[in-house]
Amino acid sequence: MTLAVEAIALVKRYRGKGGEVDAVRGIDLAIPTGSVFGFLGPNGAGKSTTVRMLTTLMTITAGSARVAGIDVAADPDAVRRRIGVALQEAGLDPRQTGRELLRLQCRLYGMSSAEAAERTEELLRLVELEDSADRNVKGYSGGMKRRLDLASALVHRPEVLFLDEPTTGLDPASRLTIWEEVRRINEQGTTVFLTTQYLEEADQLCDEVAIIDDGLIVRQGSPAALKDELARRRGDGSVPTLDDVFLDATGRSRARVAGDVQEVQA
Amino acid sequence: MSDTTVLGGRAVRESLRTPDALIPTIFIPLFFLVVNTGQVSKIFQADTTAFLQGQGYAAFQLPTSLLLAASFGSSALFLVEEIEGGYFDKLRAAPISRVSIVFGRLWSEGIKSLALTALMVLVALPFGVRVASGVAGFAVLLVLIALWAVVFSGFMQLIALKSRSAAATQAGGMAFFPLLFITPNFVPRDQLSRLMEIAASFNPVTYLMEAARSLVLDPTFQWAVLGKGFVVVALAMAVMVALTVRAINDYE
Ligand SMILES: Nc1ncnc2c1ncn2[C@@H]1O[C@H](COP(=O)(O)OP(=O)(O)OP(=O)(O)O)[C@@H](O)[C@H]1O
Ligand SMILES: [Mg+2]
């Protein structure tokens, strides 16, 4: 079994004016090639930080990582050629049109002008943006921006695709479109690493998930295995959801969450 | 190199789509040209003022305005916007030389400055201003000013990379303001007060201004003056490039 992403004792320490923050505190990952991997965790858990290290955007403080078989720290350029990235804030240039943005992206991955034009049309069709392709990105809705961002991560048919919260802020229909897209991309052989706040999303899409809390991985396995494990531990015959696994793993029980809500209401 | 030109082409497009950023770059320098000339042209008349070499005072002021137009560094504001908006990270995740992300913008600043400078000289022609050194001199003038535009924008982009804040980048631009005015701006350097003359002599922009001015006023190339201007701009360029390469490689 080859691994698309492998991390060993990965650490990120931010040094800022307000002192040091250990955002990621030694995590191990082993994601098989061809799978969809879900990275879950509460806000501030270290998901984006991990993605930024794996995608060469940030230096690794300690430990090591390999993506598509290549050491991230040793040969970041080779990693960049093999990965596609859509970050949490869909970073798009507001002053270009969708078509221009995709063409530019194609050119940056070494395509000729003609190849870039062809691939751009293909991708616009794929994410259903043909009709708005000549409008400035500034005027796109949140869902359109996400789809364009996804398309721009796919220009070079990456081996590993990183999606940091690809569906946050989307309406249910747009979310389903992205899910379908992720499945289709994965069927074509691309390994997908996605972070999400939506546990149902992870349940639906992912072969395997990891839950990170405060910089440490607290659960890892297939959604079914994690649910089974919790059911066995509870032993009361109730059927847990991935939500329950998440709450259990991050030390937040339903009772406490309900209590918090009541306090707010009072 | 091709990444730089692809990204440069995009930066040119971005400038053309943002005329509100381009307009002040033309009108503020033209405003100063008109106002400054209007204030002192009675004192400095062509037939009684030796340093004008036969032209009106507007010809003496033109280089100041050209340098001012080249010192807006609007590319840095676009860059900071790109950093804040996240597109910068998208570009950093692409398999390109990271330096090309900022150098592409500089390339477009150079092109923009060539066009702006040519336009401003054309606007000045009906007011009797002539580039005395001729067509060749005009070409040299364009190159000199465009190089300065690249250097200036480069330093502004450096502030953008380091601060990642639009406010800081804008404030940083203000710090360069004295550079343009502690110069032999109204009269030649030897006619400044002693203190001002010393200060101006330490200011690199002085040598650019004198070089540009000699191209406008002198019928023949003043090699020594031009040489100093180009050496200064080349040195500043070298420092800017070195600092930029380091800043972009350390960025995370
Ligand atoms: N540039 C930075 N400098 C200092 N600390 C940072 C920086 N970026 C993130 N952090 C801190 O690191 C921790 C992890 O942040 P990260 O963005 O990785 O979390 P996340 O799991 O992606 O959260 P979210 O679900 O809110 O996106 C947080 O405590 C955050 O405040
Ligand atoms: Mg995040």
Side-chain angles (χ1 to χ4, degrees):
Chain A
M1 183 183 71
T2 58
L3 294 177
V5 178
E6 186 182 13
I8 298 164
L10 198 61
V11 173
K12 180 68 192 184
R13 173 170 301 152
Y14 289 113
R15 292 188 184 84
K17 292 176 201 102
E20 295 183 342
V21 180
D22 286 325
V24 174
R25 303 191 289 151
I27 63 170
D28 299 324
L29 295 168
I31 303 172
T33 300
S35 62
V36 179
F37 177 81
F39 204 38
L40 318 175
N43 292 131
K47 302 183 295 295
S48 296
T49 301
T50 304
V51 169
R52 295 174 74 83
M53 282 192 283
L54 295 176
T55 54
T56 77
L57 290 172
M58 215 168 233
T59 53
I60 292 168
T61 307
S64 70
R66 299 176 83 81
V67 171
I70 296 156
D71 190 291
V72 175
D75 196 354
D77 252 319
V79 171
R80 280 177 216 141
R81 274 194 292 275
R82 288 166 173 80
I83 60 171
V85 187
L87 294 171
Q88 189 167 353
E89 331 74 35
L92 298 166
D93 179 3
R95 289 195 184 83
Q96 291 185 88
T97 68
R99 182 172 271 124
E100 285 168 348
L101 193 132
L102 287 180
R103 277 199 194 173
L104 177 73
Q105 193 75 8
C106 290
R107 297 292 307 243
L108 297 181
Y109 283 83
M111 288 179 216
S112 73
S113 188
E115 286 166 338
E118 198 187 319
R119 180 73 178 141
T120 295
E121 297 316 308
E122 225 172 273
L123 287 167
L124 284 171
R125 239 174 294 128
L126 190 75
V127 296
E128 294 164 19
L129 283 174
E130 300 122 299
D131 294 341
S132 347
D134 291 318
R135 277 168 48 197
N136 274 3
V137 172
K138 191 184 245 175
Y140 281 23
S141 74
M144 290 161 77
K145 281 186 189 155
R146 283 277 174 209
R147 265 143 53 207
L148 182 63
D149 199 20
L150 179 62
S152 78
L154 295 174
V155 293
H156 55 302
R157 300 184 175 83
E159 288 172 40
V160 187
L161 177 64
F162 290 88
L163 303 173
D164 196 356
E165 301 199 19
T167 61
T168 299
L170 298 190
D171 69 42
S174 308
R175 187 169 303 155
L176 285 178
T177 315
I178 300 267
W179 289 7
E180 273 167 33
E181 219 34 71
V182 168
R183 282 199 192 99
R184 184 152 43 168
I185 295 160
N186 178 244
E187 273 161 22
Q188 290 166 3
T190 297
T191 307
V192 181
F193 182 116
L194 66 86
T195 79
T196 181
Q197 303 278 3
Y198 302 107
L199 297 155
E200 192 206 341
E201 180 164 302
D203 216 352
Q204 292 273 331
L205 283 178
C206 299
D207 303 309
E208 189 158 325
V209 300
I211 299 173
I212 182 172
D213 190 18
D214 199 12
L216 290 171
I217 289 181
V218 290
R219 292 284 185 286
Q220 193 158 6
S222 73
L226 292 178
K227 284 183 276 189
D228 283 352
E229 187 268 339
L230 181 61
R232 264 200 312 280
R233 220 159 11 93
R234 277 183 177 169
D236 59 3
S238 66
V239 181
T241 63
L242 200 56
D243 278 57
D244 296 318
V245 174
F246 182 87
L247 294 170
D248 174 68
T250 56
R252 294 160 177 79
S253 69
R254 269 198 196 281
R256 207 181 104 207
V257 173
D260 288 346
V261 173
Q262 273 162 12
E263 272 168 45
V264 173
Q265 283 168 342
Chain B
M1 188 63 214
S2 76
D3 294 335
T4 301
T5 50
V6 168
L7 288 165
R10 161 191 164 245
V12 170
R13 224 162 41 218
E14 167 183 83
S15 281
L16 294 174
R17 274 185 202 160
T18 324
D20 42 326
L22 209 55
I23 287 165
T25 320
I26 303 173
F27 281 100
I28 293 174
L30 284 177
F31 171 82
F32 275 109
L33 181 61
V34 171
V35 169
N36 288 351
T37 304
Q39 300 219 359
V40 297
S41 58
K42 255 190 182 166
I43 304 175
F44 300 122
Q45 292 187 3
D47 44 0
T48 53
T49 313
F51 67 74
L52 294 180
Q53 305 195 52
Q55 292 208 52
Y57 189 72
F60 187 83
Q61 270 293 305
L62 180 66
T64 305
S65 285
L66 296 180
L67 284 171
L68 183 60
S71 309
F72 275 76
S74 42
S75 73
L77 292 176
F78 286 126
L79 177 64
V80 100
E81 196 180 287
E82 184 166 294
I83 290 173
E84 286 176 339
Y87 190 56
F88 186 70
D89 280 334
K90 187 145 201 91
L91 295 176
R92 285 201 311 130
I96 54 174
S97 136
R98 285 184 174 172
V99 174
S100 69
I101 305 173
V102 276
F103 284 2
R105 291 195 167 280
L106 291 181
W107 184 85
S108 104
E109 279 301 282
I111 302 281
K112 203 171 84 184
S113 175
L114 286 177
L116 271 179
T117 308
L119 181 73
M120 287 179 61
V121 172
L122 285 180
V123 169
L125 290 180
F127 298 94
V129 175
R130 292 288 173 270
V131 178
S133 55
V135 175
F138 176 62
V140 176
L141 180 67
L142 289 186
V143 170
L144 182 70
I145 303 287
L147 287 174
W148 169 250
V150 169
V151 167
F152 185 87
S153 312
F155 279 109
M156 291 282 286
Q157 290 195 158
L158 210 51
I159 300 175
L161 281 175
K162 289 287 184 189
S163 73
R164 303 180 195 190
S165 128
T169 306
Q170 227 141 12
M174 294 320 262
F176 286 110
F177 221 56
L179 276 181
L180 279 173
F181 291 97
I182 303 177
T183 49
N185 182 20
F186 280 98
V187 290
R189 191 152 30 127
D190 56 13
Q191 299 188 22
L192 295 171
S193 73
R194 185 76 192 121
L195 199 65
M196 194 68 190
E197 186 188 342
I198 293 169
S201 300
F202 279 106
N203 181 358
V205 179
T206 293
Y207 301 96
L208 284 162
M209 194 177 278
E210 288 176 348
R213 198 169 268 156
S214 89
L215 290 165
V216 176
L217 297 177
D218 274 304
T220 55
F221 281 170
Q222 304 297 305
W223 294 109
V225 179
L226 292 178
K228 276 184 208 159
F230 276 96
V231 165
V232 162
V233 89
L235 287 177
M237 180 88 74
V239 172
M240 181 275 286
V241 167
L243 292 175
T244 301
V245 169
R246 208 172 67 181
I248 189 89
N249 287 333
D250 291 351
Y251 185 101
E252 65 168 45

